[in-house]
Amino acid sequence: RHRVTRPRLMAEYTGKRALEPSARKKRLKPLNDLFSMAECCLMADVVQFFLDRDIPFCPRSAVNDVLGSITNTHISGEFHREVARVPERYFEEKPYLKGVLDSLRDSGKRLIFVSNSPFWYVDAGMNYVVGPGWRDQWDVVIASAGKPAFYTEDARPFREVDPATGKLMFKQVLKLEKGRVYTAGCLKELTKTINWKHPLNY
């Protein structure tokens, strides 16, 4: 990839921290997690493709197209299905994690698994990374949590998920039980449906 010179970077970004939050949100995009790394690399590759072939392009349109493609792939479930089909291509086995989790549990820690991904995808990945029976290591397993709403809202009830079919159950969840799988919910409901007074009591 073509490396942007420091003078160009300084000219483009000096003083941007002084922008008002609204202007900063409009003009800058934070790249601060693993998803952002993939977005950034793909943007750089697309720009380099255009430059190498002398193809004129609008930078904003290129960014919008890349982000739109990533979003569509993620929302459609196509990405999840591909990873679940060949987990060895995308994940590294981490069998030692089971020992780490066992050690935490033995010391009285309560382990709660919360993911935004659907359970069938989480199950495929964890089965490969940690091994079969990975759910036994956790006191509570929550999939499709809907973060950040999971942390910011206070009236989202939990729903139980059938691990075999992925279907949601209709019964009201009043207590989170080990060995079962839940979805949605919120932090307030989590503290209501678990006895936090002692790490080994429910």
Side-chain angles (χ1 to χ4, degrees), residues 1-5 8 44 47-48 51-52:
R1 298 180 187 131
H2 174 72
R3 187 181 182 87
V4 180
T5 64
R8 173 72 184 279
V47 168
Q48 193 63 52
L51 293 176
D52 290 345

Side-chain angles (χ1 to χ4, degrees), residues 169-189:
M169 300 183 187
F170 292 104
K171 65 180 182 179
Q172 185 178 11
V173 176
L174 300 176
K175 180 180 179 181
L176 299 182
E177 301 180 33
K178 182 178 172 63
R180 298 183 182 275
V181 179
Y182 302 94
T183 186
C186 61
L187 195 57
K188 183 176 180 180
E189 286 294 314

Side-chain angles (χ1 to χ4, degrees), residues 17 46 68 70 78 93 100 104 114 149-150 161 172-173 176 178 188-190 193 202:
R17 289 186 178 181
V46 169
I70 292 174
E78 182 178 344
E93 291 182 86
V100 173
L104 290 171
V114 183
F150 182 86
V161 181
Q172 185 178 11
V173 176
L176 299 182
K178 182 178 172 63
K188 183 176 180 180
E189 286 294 314
L190 180 64
T193 50
Y202 278 81

Side-chain angles (χ1 to χ4, degrees), residues 98 101-102 105 111 130 133-139 178:
K98 184 178 184 302
L101 295 172
D102 285 339
R105 285 184 54 78
L111 303 182
V130 179
W134 66 271
R135 281 192 288 145
D136 296 337
Q137 311 301 119
W138 303 86
D139 294 293
K178 182 178 172 63

Side-chain angles (χ1 to χ4, degrees), residues 23-65:
R24 193 159 54 238
K25 183 177 180 180
K26 182 178 180 181
R27 297 177 58 183
L28 302 177
K29 175 178 173 55
L31 300 171
N32 53 8
D33 56 25
L34 291 177
F35 286 106
S36 297
M37 290 176 62
E39 292 175 347
C40 187
C41 288
L42 186 54
M43 288 178 200
D45 287 341
V46 169
V47 168
Q48 193 63 52
F49 178 89
F50 289 146
L51 293 176
D52 290 345
R53 292 160 179 78
D54 293 321
I55 299 174
F57 67 98
C58 170
R60 183 177 291 273
S61 295
V63 169
N64 289 340
D65 288 347

